[in-house]
Amino acid sequence: MKRRFFRYLMGISLLTLFLSTIASMFIYYSVYVDRSNKDLSNIVIAMGETLNKIDDDENYLDDVARKKRDFRITLIKEDGDVVYDSSQDAKFLPTHKDRPEVIKAQKNGFAKIERYSNTLSKDLYYVSLRLEDGNILRVSREMDNLLGAFRKVLPIDILMSLLVFAIATVVSRRLTKKTFEPLNNLNEDLLTIDTDMFPEISPFINKINKQNKTIKDNYREISRERDTIETILKNMKESLIIIDENKNLLSVNNSARELLTPREI
């Protein structure tokens, strides 16, 4: 029972650890994505305000691209032609007039689009803003999907899981010892124990007491029947000898004893 109790505690600890890890991953990823999108939107708005005030767009965008290397900055004309791109030469890029983030920005003035890249195996987040001259400023950023984010924190999760597992093992052993130590040190009969002191095992004690009462009642009934049979056999006039299947003598009444006892002549 002690080992079973310990295994139950360990099982609960491991299940709690697993569920908390999964839940924390989803919460962390949700906060990470939400925060990244807000930062990306703020950057695009700030860049758009600056572009609306200056004439030399490409130099400004080059300067920003050198500082924000994890972003891809693209400036697109109203007809979809690319004027500037921080990652590739704009001359070799196809028209972007059919891109969802461009279409939505031209219609609403602002757009946020998420797409999954099979080539990069990452989520791409696009934020587009329509400028006062009609051009579209688009800033994109690669972000790990849930699986990618999990792989990055997996080593830390493993170390934390091992640490929590070790702590859970120590705590479970101490709780098991503390729970069963009073029972191991009992000097009184288990059947006379005060169940109020150990409410955890009261069902077990009550069941033993009930079974013990049943056994005593059965024993009294058997004794009564045995006494009745002995009285009947004792007062029988007929001789009666009872043996078992191995021919062992079980009972002999008084009449049989008198019959078998040699008489003096």
Side-chain angles (χ1 to χ4, degrees):
M1 186 175 178
K2 186 176 180 180
R3 291 182 179 178
R4 182 180 298 178
F5 184 76
F6 174 74
R7 288 197 296 267
Y8 285 160
L9 288 178
M10 289 302 302
I12 293 173
S13 300
L14 292 176
L15 179 61
T16 303
L17 175 62
F18 174 76
L19 294 178
S20 61
T21 300
I22 298 299
S24 62
M25 277 300 304
F26 278 100
I27 295 173
Y28 161 77
Y29 185 73
S30 176
V31 173
Y32 163 71
V33 170
D34 183 65
R35 183 62 182 173
S36 298
N37 282 333
K38 287 181 179 179
D39 290 343
L40 195 60
S41 298
N42 292 334
I43 290 172
V44 171
I45 293 173
M47 291 175 61
E49 291 177 353
T50 303
L51 288 173
N52 288 329
K53 298 177 182 178
I54 63 175
D55 296 327
D56 195 353
D57 294 347
E58 293 189 20
N59 286 334
Y60 168 72
L61 294 177
D62 273 333
D63 185 55
V64 174
R66 283 192 294 268
K67 298 177 181 178
K68 303 285 186 180
R69 296 185 179 275
D70 55 336
F71 296 114
R72 180 177 180 179
I73 304 172
T74 309
L75 187 62
I76 306 165
K77 289 184 177 180
E78 289 185 82
D79 58 4
D81 290 339
V82 178
V83 178
Y84 173 85
D85 189 271
S86 60
S87 298
Q88 299 183 30
D89 191 339
K91 297 178 182 178
F92 300 103
L93 291 175
T95 180
H96 281 34
K97 64 180 180 180
D98 57 342
R99 301 295 173 88
E101 63 274 10
V102 175
I103 297 174
K104 191 173 180 180
Q106 287 177 336
K107 181 180 179 180
N108 302 325
F110 186 80
K112 290 194 295 185
I113 300 293
E114 175 186 350
R115 288 205 299 265
Y116 178 74
S117 173
N118 292 320
T119 304
L120 300 173
S121 296
K122 291 186 176 182
D123 290 327
L124 298 178
Y125 289 84
Y126 296 88
V127 177
S128 301
L129 177 69
R130 186 181 64 211
L131 303 176
E132 292 178 354
D133 57 5
N135 291 341
I136 302 296
L137 173 65
R138 187 189 72 177
V139 178
S140 62
R141 185 181 185 184
E142 299 174 3
M143 284 192 289
D144 292 316
N145 53 26
L146 182 60
L147 183 60
F150 179 74
R151 281 198 296 262
K152 282 187 175 181
V153 299
L154 183 60
I156 298 177
D157 279 343
I158 292 176
L159 290 176
M160 290 298 296
S161 298
L162 291 175
L163 178 61
V164 172
F165 179 77
I167 295 174
T169 301
V170 174
V171 172
S172 297
R173 290 187 185 278
R174 290 187 176 180
L175 286 177
T176 302
K177 182 179 179 181
K178 186 176 180 180
T179 301
F180 286 91
E181 188 173 7
L183 294 177
N184 295 331
N185 296 332
L186 280 177
N187 295 321
E188 56 184 311
D189 187 359
L190 190 62
L191 299 179
T192 61
I193 189 175
D194 184 7
T195 55
D196 292 335
M197 295 177 58
F198 307 100
E200 298 85 0
I201 63 169
S202 59
F204 175 68
I205 299 298
N206 292 333
K207 188 172 183 179
I208 290 181
N209 286 330
K210 184 177 179 181
Q211 290 179 345
N212 187 56
K213 183 178 181 300
T214 301
I215 292 173
K216 288 182 178 179
D217 292 341
N218 291 337
Y219 179 77
R220 282 195 296 267
E221 182 64 23
I222 292 173
S223 298
R224 187 183 63 81
E225 292 177 356
R226 183 193 62 190
D227 293 340
T228 301
I229 293 173
E230 287 181 355
T231 301
I232 294 173
L233 293 177
K234 186 176 182 180
N235 298 313
M236 282 179 63
K237 294 181 179 181
E238 293 80 4
S239 300
L240 179 63
I241 300 175
I242 301 176
I243 61 176
D244 61 14
E245 65 273 10
N246 297 320
K247 298 181 180 180
N248 294 317
L249 184 63
L250 298 179
S251 179
V252 180
N253 68 351
N254 292 337
S255 298
R257 287 194 182 94
E258 291 177 359
L259 182 62
L260 297 176
T261 299
R263 298 181 179 179
E264 295 181 0
I265 300 176

PDB file of all heavy atoms in Angstrom, residues 29-50:
ATOM      1  N   TYR A  29       3.273  31.109 -26.360  1.00  0.00           N
ATOM      2  CA  TYR A  29       3.244  31.358 -27.802  1.00  0.00           C
ATOM      3  C   TYR A  29       2.195  32.418 -28.146  1.00  0.00           C
ATOM      4  O   TYR A  29       2.420  33.273 -29.000  1.00  0.00           O
ATOM      5  CB  TYR A  29       2.943  30.063 -28.552  1.00  0.00           C
ATOM      6  CG  TYR A  29       3.010  30.213 -30.053  1.00  0.00           C
ATOM      7  CD1 TYR A  29       4.233  30.357 -30.696  1.00  0.00           C
ATOM      8  CD2 TYR A  29       1.842  30.226 -30.823  1.00  0.00           C
ATOM      9  CE1 TYR A  29       4.304  30.513 -32.064  1.00  0.00           C
ATOM     10  CE2 TYR A  29       1.902  30.377 -32.195  1.00  0.00           C
ATOM     11  CZ  TYR A  29       3.133  30.525 -32.811  1.00  0.00           C
ATOM     12  OH  TYR A  29       3.200  30.672 -34.173  1.00  0.00           O
ATOM     13  N   SER A  30       1.046  32.362 -27.473  1.00  0.00           N
ATOM     14  CA  SER A  30      -0.002  33.348 -27.729  1.00  0.00           C
ATOM     15  C   SER A  30       0.465  34.759 -27.373  1.00  0.00           C
ATOM     16  O   SER A  30       0.258  35.711 -28.136  1.00  0.00           O
ATOM     17  CB  SER A  30      -1.254  32.979 -26.928  1.00  0.00           C
ATOM     18  OG  SER A  30      -2.255  33.951 -27.084  1.00  0.00           O
ATOM     19  N   VAL A  31       1.116  34.889 -26.217  1.00  0.00           N
ATOM     20  CA  VAL A  31       1.638  36.200 -25.801  1.00  0.00           C
ATOM     21  C   VAL A  31       2.744  36.656 -26.740  1.00  0.00           C
ATOM     22  O   VAL A  31       2.821  37.841 -27.112  1.00  0.00           O
ATOM     23  CB  VAL A  31       2.154  36.119 -24.347  1.00  0.00           C
ATOM     24  CG1 VAL A  31       2.860  37.412 -23.950  1.00  0.00           C
ATOM     25  CG2 VAL A  31       1.006  35.829 -23.395  1.00  0.00           C
ATOM     26  N   TYR A  32       3.600  35.710 -27.157  1.00  0.00           N
ATOM     27  CA  TYR A  32       4.712  36.016 -28.060  1.00  0.00           C
ATOM     28  C   TYR A  32       4.205  36.548 -29.400  1.00  0.00           C
ATOM     29  O   TYR A  32       4.685  37.569 -29.909  1.00  0.00           O
ATOM     30  CB  TYR A  32       5.547  34.751 -28.249  1.00  0.00           C
ATOM     31  CG  TYR A  32       6.480  34.751 -29.428  1.00  0.00           C
ATOM     32  CD1 TYR A  32       7.619  35.555 -29.450  1.00  0.00           C
ATOM     33  CD2 TYR A  32       6.233  33.930 -30.525  1.00  0.00           C
ATOM     34  CE1 TYR A  32       8.479  35.548 -30.537  1.00  0.00           C
ATOM     35  CE2 TYR A  32       7.088  33.911 -31.616  1.00  0.00           C
ATOM     36  CZ  TYR A  32       8.204  34.718 -31.620  1.00  0.00           C
ATOM     37  OH  TYR A  32       9.044  34.700 -32.692  1.00  0.00           O
ATOM     38  N   VAL A  33       3.203  35.878 -29.973  1.00  0.00           N
ATOM     39  CA  VAL A  33       2.652  36.302 -31.263  1.00  0.00           C
ATOM     40  C   VAL A  33       1.954  37.647 -31.133  1.00  0.00           C
ATOM     41  O   VAL A  33       2.130  38.546 -31.965  1.00  0.00           O
ATOM     42  CB  VAL A  33       1.682  35.232 -31.808  1.00  0.00           C
ATOM     43  CG1 VAL A  33       0.924  35.750 -33.017  1.00  0.00           C
ATOM     44  CG2 VAL A  33       2.444  33.969 -32.180  1.00  0.00           C
ATOM     45  N   ASP A  34       1.155  37.806 -30.080  1.00  0.00           N
ATOM     46  CA  ASP A  34       0.420  39.059 -29.893  1.00  0.00           C
ATOM     47  C   ASP A  34       1.374  40.236 -29.708  1.00  0.00           C
ATOM     48  O   ASP A  34       1.184  41.309 -30.309  1.00  0.00           O
ATOM     49  CB  ASP A  34      -0.498  38.921 -28.674  1.00  0.00           C
ATOM     50  CG  ASP A  34      -1.351  40.153 -28.459  1.00  0.00           C
ATOM     51  OD1 ASP A  34      -2.201  40.449 -29.321  1.00  0.00           O
ATOM     52  OD2 ASP A  34      -1.165  40.828 -27.428  1.00  0.00           O
ATOM     53  N   ARG A  35       2.405  40.022 -28.915  1.00  0.00           N
ATOM     54  CA  ARG A  35       3.376  41.097 -28.679  1.00  0.00           C
ATOM     55  C   ARG A  35       4.149  41.426 -29.948  1.00  0.00           C
ATOM     56  O   ARG A  35       4.383  42.611 -30.262  1.00  0.00           O
ATOM     57  CB  ARG A  35       4.348  40.675 -27.569  1.00  0.00           C
ATOM     58  CG  ARG A  35       5.366  41.745 -27.186  1.00  0.00           C
ATOM     59  CD  ARG A  35       4.684  42.967 -26.635  1.00  0.00           C
ATOM     60  NE  ARG A  35       5.642  44.013 -26.313  1.00  0.00           N
ATOM     61  CZ  ARG A  35       5.308  45.236 -25.932  1.00  0.00           C
ATOM     62  NH1 ARG A  35       4.031  45.567 -25.835  1.00  0.00           N
ATOM     63  NH2 ARG A  35       6.237  46.131 -25.646  1.00  0.00           N
ATOM     64  N   SER A  36       4.540  40.410 -30.701  1.00  0.00           N
ATOM     65  CA  SER A  36       5.294  40.637 -31.940  1.00  0.00           C
ATOM     66  C   SER A  36       4.460  41.399 -32.959  1.00  0.00           C
ATOM     67  O   SER A  36       4.963  42.298 -33.656  1.00  0.00           O
ATOM     68  CB  SER A  36       5.748  39.298 -32.520  1.00  0.00           C
ATOM     69  OG  SER A  36       6.622  38.632 -31.631  1.00  0.00           O
ATOM     70  N   ASN A  37       3.174  41.049 -33.066  1.00  0.00           N
ATOM     71  CA  ASN A  37       2.301  41.741 -34.015  1.00  0.00           C
ATOM     72  C   ASN A  37       2.115  43.209 -33.633  1.00  0.00           C
ATOM     73  O   ASN A  37       2.089  44.093 -34.502  1.00  0.00           O
ATOM     74  CB  ASN A  37       0.942  41.047 -34.081  1.00  0.00           C
ATOM     75  CG  ASN A  37       0.992  39.775 -34.917  1.00  0.00           C
ATOM     76  OD1 ASN A  37       1.815  39.642 -35.806  1.00  0.00           O
ATOM     77  ND2 ASN A  37       0.108  38.840 -34.622  1.00  0.00           N
ATOM     78  N   LYS A  38       1.963  43.460 -32.332  1.00  0.00           N
ATOM     79  CA  LYS A  38       1.816  44.853 -31.893  1.00  0.00           C
ATOM     80  C   LYS A  38       3.083  45.655 -32.178  1.00  0.00           C
ATOM     81  O   LYS A  38       3.013  46.800 -32.639  1.00  0.00           O
ATOM     82  CB  LYS A  38       1.486  44.894 -30.411  1.00  0.00           C
ATOM     83  CG  LYS A  38       0.064  44.446 -30.083  1.00  0.00           C
ATOM     84  CD  LYS A  38      -0.209  44.540 -28.589  1.00  0.00           C
ATOM     85  CE  LYS A  38      -1.635  44.111 -28.279  1.00  0.00           C
ATOM     86  NZ  LYS A  38      -1.932  44.158 -26.818  1.00  0.00           N
ATOM     87  N   ASP A  39       4.240  45.051 -31.900  1.00  0.00           N
ATOM     88  CA  ASP A  39       5.508  45.736 -32.181  1.00  0.00           C
ATOM     89  C   ASP A  39       5.658  46.022 -33.667  1.00  0.00           C
ATOM     90  O   ASP A  39       6.090  47.111 -34.078  1.00  0.00           O
ATOM     91  CB  ASP A  39       6.683  44.888 -31.692  1.00  0.00           C
ATOM     92  CG  ASP A  39       6.756  44.821 -30.177  1.00  0.00           C
ATOM     93  OD1 ASP A  39       6.124  45.668 -29.518  1.00  0.00           O
ATOM     94  OD2 ASP A  39       7.438  43.918 -29.647  1.00  0.00           O
ATOM     95  N   LEU A  40       5.284  45.025 -34.499  1.00  0.00           N
ATOM     96  CA  LEU A  40       5.395  45.178 -35.949  1.00  0.00           C
ATOM     97  C   LEU A  40       4.464  46.293 -36.440  1.00  0.00           C
ATOM     98  O   LEU A  40       4.855  47.116 -37.287  1.00  0.00           O
ATOM     99  CB  LEU A  40       5.055  43.857 -36.632  1.00  0.00           C
ATOM    100  CG  LEU A  40       5.459  43.703 -38.104  1.00  0.00           C
ATOM    101  CD1 LEU A  40       6.965  43.853 -38.264  1.00  0.00           C
ATOM    102  CD2 LEU A  40       5.007  42.353 -38.638  1.00  0.00           C
ATOM    103  N   SER A  41       3.249  46.338 -35.904  1.00  0.00           N
ATOM    104  CA  SER A  41       2.298  47.388 -36.303  1.00  0.00           C
ATOM    105  C   SER A  41       2.806  48.771 -35.897  1.00  0.00           C
ATOM    106  O   SER A  41       2.705  49.735 -36.678  1.00  0.00           O
ATOM    107  CB  SER A  41       0.934  47.115 -35.664  1.00  0.00           C
ATOM    108  OG  SER A  41       0.403  45.886 -36.100  1.00  0.00           O
ATOM    109  N   ASN A  42       3.356  48.881 -34.684  1.00  0.00           N
ATOM    110  CA  ASN A  42       3.875  50.173 -34.222  1.00  0.00           C
ATOM    111  C   ASN A  42       5.043  50.646 -35.084  1.00  0.00           C
ATOM    112  O   ASN A  42       5.173  51.846 -35.379  1.00  0.00           O
ATOM    113  CB  ASN A  42       4.312  50.066 -32.761  1.00  0.00           C
ATOM    114  CG  ASN A  42       3.131  49.854 -31.825  1.00  0.00           C
ATOM    115  OD1 ASN A  42       2.001  50.241 -32.136  1.00  0.00           O
ATOM    116  ND2 ASN A  42       3.389  49.244 -30.684  1.00  0.00           N
ATOM    117  N   ILE A  43       5.907  49.702 -35.486  1.00  0.00           N
ATOM    118  CA  ILE A  43       7.057  50.056 -36.323  1.00  0.00           C
ATOM    119  C   ILE A  43       6.594  50.568 -37.678  1.00  0.00           C
ATOM    120  O   ILE A  43       7.101  51.581 -38.196  1.00  0.00           O
ATOM    121  CB  ILE A  43       8.001  48.851 -36.480  1.00  0.00           C
ATOM    122  CG1 ILE A  43       8.700  48.556 -35.152  1.00  0.00           C
ATOM    123  CG2 ILE A  43       9.025  49.098 -37.578  1.00  0.00           C
ATOM    124  CD1 ILE A  43       9.499  47.272 -35.155  1.00  0.00           C
ATOM    125  N   VAL A  44       5.617  49.885 -38.276  1.00  0.00           N
ATOM    126  CA  VAL A  44       5.115  50.294 -39.591  1.00  0.00           C
ATOM    127  C   VAL A  44       4.466  51.669 -39.521  1.00  0.00           C
ATOM    128  O   VAL A  44       4.679  52.525 -40.399  1.00  0.00           O
ATOM    129  CB  VAL A  44       4.113  49.246 -40.125  1.00  0.00           C
ATOM    130  CG1 VAL A  44       3.428  49.764 -41.380  1.00  0.00           C
ATOM    131  CG2 VAL A  44       4.818  47.941 -40.421  1.00  0.00           C
ATOM    132  N   ILE A  45       3.688  51.919 -38.488  1.00  0.00           N
ATOM    133  CA  ILE A  45       3.032  53.226 -38.338  1.00  0.00           C
ATOM    134  C   ILE A  45       4.067  54.336 -38.171  1.00  0.00           C
ATOM    135  O   ILE A  45       3.960  55.420 -38.783  1.00  0.00           O
ATOM    136  CB  ILE A  45       2.057  53.188 -37.152  1.00  0.00           C
ATOM    137  CG1 ILE A  45       0.886  52.248 -37.461  1.00  0.00           C
ATOM    138  CG2 ILE A  45       1.538  54.588 -36.836  1.00  0.00           C
ATOM    139  CD1 ILE A  45      -0.039  52.005 -36.285  1.00  0.00           C
ATOM    140  N   ALA A  46       5.082  54.053 -37.341  1.00  0.00           N
ATOM    141  CA  ALA A  46       6.135  55.058 -37.134  1.00  0.00           C
ATOM    142  C   ALA A  46       6.911  55.328 -38.426  1.00  0.00           C
ATOM    143  O   ALA A  46       7.213  56.493 -38.756  1.00  0.00           O
ATOM    144  CB  ALA A  46       7.087  54.581 -36.038  1.00  0.00           C
ATOM    145  N   MET A  47       7.220  54.259 -39.177  1.00  0.00           N
ATOM    146  CA  MET A  47       7.927  54.425 -40.446  1.00  0.00           C
ATOM    147  C   MET A  47       7.063  55.177 -41.447  1.00  0.00           C
ATOM    148  O   MET A  47       7.554  56.021 -42.221  1.00  0.00           O
ATOM    149  CB  MET A  47       8.327  53.069 -41.011  1.00  0.00           C
ATOM    150  CG  MET A  47       9.406  52.341 -40.222  1.00  0.00           C
ATOM    151  SD  MET A  47       9.725  50.678 -40.853  1.00  0.00           S
ATOM    152  CE  MET A  47      10.262  51.048 -42.527  1.00  0.00           C
ATOM    153  N   GLY A  48       5.756  54.878 -41.450  1.00  0.00           N
ATOM    154  CA  GLY A  48       4.850  55.551 -42.385  1.00  0.00           C
ATOM    155  C   GLY A  48       4.766  57.038 -42.120  1.00  0.00           C
ATOM    156  O   GLY A  48       4.747  57.853 -43.061  1.00  0.00           O
ATOM    157  N   GLU A  49       4.742  57.427 -40.835  1.00  0.00           N
ATOM    158  CA  GLU A  49       4.693  58.845 -40.505  1.00  0.00           C
ATOM    159  C   GLU A  49       5.949  59.561 -40.983  1.00  0.00           C
ATOM    160  O   GLU A  49       5.898  60.713 -41.451  1.00  0.00           O
ATOM    161  CB  GLU A  49       4.533  59.010 -38.991  1.00  0.00           C
ATOM    162  CG  GLU A  49       3.174  58.558 -38.474  1.00  0.00           C
ATOM    163  CD  GLU A  49       3.073  58.666 -36.968  1.00  0.00           C
ATOM    164  OE1 GLU A  49       4.120  58.967 -36.331  1.00  0.00           O
ATOM    165  OE2 GLU A  49       1.973  58.446 -36.410  1.00  0.00           O
ATOM    166  N   THR A  50       7.094  58.877 -40.874  1.00  0.00           N
ATOM    167  CA  THR A  50       8.354  59.482 -41.332  1.00  0.00           C
ATOM    168  C   THR A  50       8.381  59.585 -42.850  1.00  0.00           C
ATOM    169  O   THR A  50       8.793  60.621 -43.415  1.00  0.00           O
ATOM    170  CB  THR A  50       9.553  58.648 -40.839  1.00  0.00           C
ATOM    171  OG1 THR A  50       9.512  58.549 -39.422  1.00  0.00           O
ATOM    172  CG2 THR A  50      10.864  59.296 -41.270  1.00  0.00           C
TER     173      THR A  50
END
